[in-house]
Amino acid sequence: MSRTRIHFKNTTALVVAGALSKMLMFLAAVMIFKGLSVEDNGVFQLAFSFGFIFSLLTEVGVRGYLLRQMARVRSEPAFAQRLFSDVLNLRLGLIVLMTPIIFLILWLAGYSHQILIVTAWLFLYALLDSIAMLFKFVLRAYERMEFDALFSIIGRGVVLGLIAVFFMSKSLTLPNVIVSHLAGAGLECMGLCIALKITLRLRLVNRAGIRAMWATLAKSAPFAVVNVVGILYLRTGTITLSKLAGERAVALFNTADKLPEAVLFFPMAMVNAVVPFLSRNLNDLHTLRRYYDFLMRYILYVVVGLAVIFIMETQWIILLVAKKEYLSASHAFRGLAVWMVASSIHYATANVLICMNHEKWVMRRYMLVFVFNVILNLLLVSKWGVTGAAIALAVSEVAATAFDVLKLRHLGVGMSRGSILQAAGQIMLMSAMLWVFGFMNPQARIGITVFVAALYVGVVMFLSDRELIRKLLHKDETA
């Protein structure tokens, strides 16, 4: 199979997996928004955020390191097994070491008994989910994205199915929400264990070597800083709101964040599909430049169009997925739409830099932007609450993206002017369509706008990427 067709197959698998997974979890979130009180939703969202922050403290970036290195040694089974064993043993050791420290810190921070208990259960869910993601990264290194897609959909489907049963029977409670998440993550993790054993012949139980684990930890340190600081930076608004504004504000902010965050499946799928290839071709500047421009163009086609709709049709979208009580988060939702665009670009730029062995630069940039984000949150949340948290996150993300774009341009990798102009044209076209058809009901004007935007993208795609289409259709092409 040609390289182009392999990338297309892997991207399709990850896009389908991401779309369905995000859709399933988003539908589950909608039921949670509608089925729980705003206060209980706030407790759930805060504990959910804590669970993922804490799980990353036990993960310290090893899966990013594993993906890049496994892609480079996958043709040598002995090296691949040793690398996988060292990373998995390190991961399990960190869980044992960090768990009591994590909950001691949370207790000292003065959170309520309810927050501690719910966080403990959702921390377990986050651990299962992160182990499953570690296994997915191994499969991605071998470019077996179909397993990623299959088990992601199964796991999320179980979560949605159980929550739907409780919701329709009018018995949805916070404990039931937790049980549903644990069941889905546990099944997904077990399925991936079996896939690794059968497909890649990798042993899951191996003797732990302290020296090898320590060496792996040292090599993955830059990835650790990127991951830990990255998630703290994304959750700073939630933590700040929990202390300055209470659980209700946390619920409003995380509800406004849910849909923009769900959209990120598309850029993540596109980038994840080509990361193994780019990691093996880090010295081929022409290839890196070509892939970077392609990624940016198609990422912007999707996220820019959605951002225009989110910003201009905010009230209708919020009422579609949540109660009227959440309308007070309208301005925050618009700010998070801007964050969605910047975050999509940022995900691609950071991964391309890591593929080029510039993870230390990404680490330093993350630390700088994290400090900037904390300062912004302290200044803006106390003044504007939920809206302030959204502005702080959006401004920080734009700054992080700008740093990465400038760094890549310095390295000779940049986006073409034509691609930038195409995205700008799409923004103007969609904004004009929504304004012109403002007399229609929201569903009609959004439908017409999306149709016209799709035609625009189709024409641009035909003019810009005829060669790509030819390669996808030509079965014997080997480049």
Side-chain angles (χ1 to χ4, degrees), residues 286-305:
H286 173 72
T287 296
L288 290 170
R289 188 184 296 117
R290 182 162 54 91
Y291 272 74
Y292 176 78
D293 185 67
F294 175 82
L295 286 171
M296 289 296 102
R297 186 160 6 108
Y298 282 89
I299 286 171
L300 286 176
Y301 286 155
V302 174
V303 297
V304 161

Side-chain angles (χ1 to χ4, degrees), residues 217-469:
L217 180 62
K219 291 175 183 176
S220 63
F223 294 90
V225 175
V226 169
N227 277 9
V228 174
V229 174
I231 195 65
L232 286 173
Y233 146 71
L234 290 174
R235 301 301 180 188
T236 299
T238 297
I239 297 170
T240 307
L241 286 167
S242 75
K243 284 298 184 182
L244 299 182
E247 284 81 11
R248 184 179 181 85
V250 170
L252 292 173
F253 179 73
N254 282 275
T255 300
D257 172 69
K258 197 62 65 179
L259 188 55
E261 186 179 37
V263 171
L264 296 181
F265 81 87
F266 182 79
M268 292 174 69
M270 286 195 66
V271 174
N272 291 339
V274 300
V275 160
F277 174 73
L278 296 182
S279 295
R280 296 193 302 274
N281 292 271
L282 70 158
N283 296 317
D284 187 345
L285 188 61
H286 173 72
T287 296
L288 290 170
R289 188 184 296 117
R290 182 162 54 91
Y291 272 74
Y292 176 78
D293 185 67
F294 175 82
L295 286 171
M296 289 296 102
R297 186 160 6 108
Y298 282 89
I299 286 171
L300 286 176
Y301 286 155
V302 174
V303 297
V304 161
L306 288 172
V308 171
I309 294 172
F310 289 174
I311 291 170
M312 296 187 70
E313 301 290 345
T314 300
Q315 182 172 334
W316 179 77
I317 292 172
I318 290 177
L319 291 176
L320 185 67
V321 301
K323 305 173 184 177
K324 289 183 179 179
E325 290 91 329
Y326 291 94
L327 283 174
S328 58
S330 295
H331 293 309
F333 184 73
R334 294 187 182 98
L336 290 166
V338 175
W339 164 79
M340 175 186 73
V341 176
S343 186
S344 300
I345 300 171
H346 178 205
Y347 188 82
T349 56
N351 275 277
V352 171
L353 284 166
I354 289 171
C355 288
M356 298 173 72
N357 287 342
H358 287 284
E359 62 270 15
K360 290 183 179 179
W361 191 92
V362 175
M363 172 191 72
R364 291 192 293 268
R365 191 263 298 136
Y366 256 120
M367 293 177 68
L368 177 64
V369 174
F370 170 63
V371 174
F372 178 58
N373 186 44
V374 170
I375 294 170
L376 281 180
N377 269 281
L378 292 175
L379 292 173
L380 300 181
V381 168
S382 58
K383 188 174 182 179
W384 291 317
V386 175
T387 302
I391 293 172
L393 184 57
V395 171
S396 301
E397 194 72 39
V398 169
T401 304
F403 279 126
D404 278 5
V405 169
L406 291 173
K407 177 65 174 178
L408 282 167
R409 282 196 172 277
H410 177 72
L411 295 171
V413 178
M415 191 175 177
S416 68
R417 289 182 181 179
S419 296
I420 296 172
L421 289 174
Q422 289 165 13
Q426 185 183 0
I427 292 173
M428 291 187 289
L429 175 64
M430 294 186 68
S431 299
M433 293 293 295
L434 289 171
W435 181 75
V436 168
F437 292 102
F439 62 91
M440 294 184 172
N441 63 56
Q443 297 94 317
R445 64 173 174 264
I446 290 173
I448 293 171
T449 301
V450 170
F451 177 74
V452 173
L455 287 178
Y456 171 84
V457 171
V459 171
V460 172
M461 181 178 177
F462 177 76
L463 294 175
S464 302
D465 296 310
R466 279 176 290 184
E467 182 63 18
L468 172 66
I469 296 171

Side-chain angles (χ1 to χ4, degrees), residues 62-87 134-135 137-143 196 200 202 276 279-280:
V62 290
R63 68 188 183 203
Y65 167 77
L66 176 65
L67 173 61
R68 190 184 70 180
Q69 298 305 117
M70 188 71 85
R72 294 173 179 174
V73 304
R74 68 187 191 186
S75 59
E76 304 175 70
F79 285 104
Q81 177 64 63
R82 189 181 309 157
L83 175 64
F84 175 69
S85 301
D86 292 341
V87 167
L134 180 71
F135 294 157
F137 271 45
V138 175
L139 290 162
R140 289 177 187 179
Y142 284 82
E143 298 186 78
L196 281 179
L200 303 183
L202 289 172
S279 295
R280 296 193 302 274

Side-chain angles (χ1 to χ4, degrees), residues 65-142:
Y65 167 77
L66 176 65
L67 173 61
R68 190 184 70 180
Q69 298 305 117
M70 188 71 85
R72 294 173 179 174
V73 304
R74 68 187 191 186
S75 59
E76 304 175 70
F79 285 104
Q81 177 64 63
R82 189 181 309 157
L83 175 64
F84 175 69
S85 301
D86 292 341
V87 167
L88 184 58
N89 287 333
L90 172 63
R91 184 77 172 81
L92 297 175
L94 286 169
I95 291 173
V96 174
L97 175 66
M98 293 299 297
T99 297
I101 299 173
I102 285 167
F103 280 93
L104 177 62
I105 293 171
L106 193 62
W107 177 72
L108 292 174
Y111 284 99
S112 67
H113 180 72
Q114 182 188 24
I115 295 292
L116 290 172
I117 296 298
V118 176
T119 298
W121 285 110
L122 290 175
F123 175 56
L124 176 59
Y125 163 73
L127 287 177
L128 290 170
D129 187 76
S130 66
I131 293 293
M133 185 58 71
L134 180 71
F135 294 157
K136 290 176 187 177
F137 271 45
V138 175
L139 290 162
R140 289 177 187 179
Y142 284 82

